Amino acid sequence: MRPVLPSTAEAAQVVRAGLQMVRTEVLPRAERAVGVARARWLFRAFRLGQGVAAYGPVTARNEGHAELGDKLTFLGGMLPTSVVCYSGARLLVGAETQFNYGVSLEAWESVQIGARCMFASFVRVSDRDGQRIAPIIIEDDVWVAHGAILLPGVRIGARSVVSAGSIVSQDVPPDSLAMGNPARSMTLDLVAREATGT
């Protein structure tokens, strides 16, 4: 069965919405301090950068080598955010990356996430899918939208967007939009040109 791909206009609409997304608002100093103290406790088995904060239900387990960069934000909500690094695995997360509620992040071998990435609610990132284990690399400034799933062995290029509900099973080049099941990629320049009619 051939995958159903969205029209270019639909893709452009998704990108416009994504590019207008605003990062988490600056929280009052006292609330931020509580989030930072909570993160120190939750991620006590991790190598932790400065200013990491956790709010709401968040679960964390490190049996391998896990490093969390400066100023990360983890949000809990209807379902907890879960961060697990299994024995012998490596998990690296760059500075200023944000995780919304219900995110599942699992490293069985190697998961590397760059700086300033945004993960919407219910995103799943795991380098193991039951059949194989392969490293995942997510470069800087990537946005992964609600409910997207990143499968083992993929590399998401810098400044790319993975649209809501997409299942990514192959590499996404930098400056691209990936959407669908399985996800297919198109450059953001093409999407922007289609959106503006130029």
Side-chain angles (χ1 to χ4, degrees), residues 85-96:
C85 183
Y86 291 99
S87 179
R90 187 171 180 215
L91 171 64
L92 305 174
V93 182
E96 298 181 35

Side-chain angles (χ1 to χ4, degrees), residues 106-130:
E106 291 184 345
W108 292 83
E109 180 183 279
S110 176
V111 174
Q112 297 179 48
I113 299 173
R116 299 171 306 280
C117 294
M118 294 185 292
F119 293 82
S121 54
F122 302 115
V123 168
R124 179 169 168 73
V125 179
S126 178
D127 60 353
R128 178 181 176 181
D129 66 1

Side-chain angles (χ1 to χ4, degrees), residues 11 16 38 50 78 81 95 98 109 173 192:
R16 279 197 306 270
R38 194 161 176 272
Q50 297 294 313
M78 293 181 284
T81 293
Q98 298 184 14
E109 180 183 279

Side-chain angles (χ1 to χ4, degrees), residues 55-68:
Y55 307 94
V58 177
T59 62
R61 187 169 92 204
N62 178 25
E63 299 168 358
H65 176 84
E67 295 182 27
L68 304 180

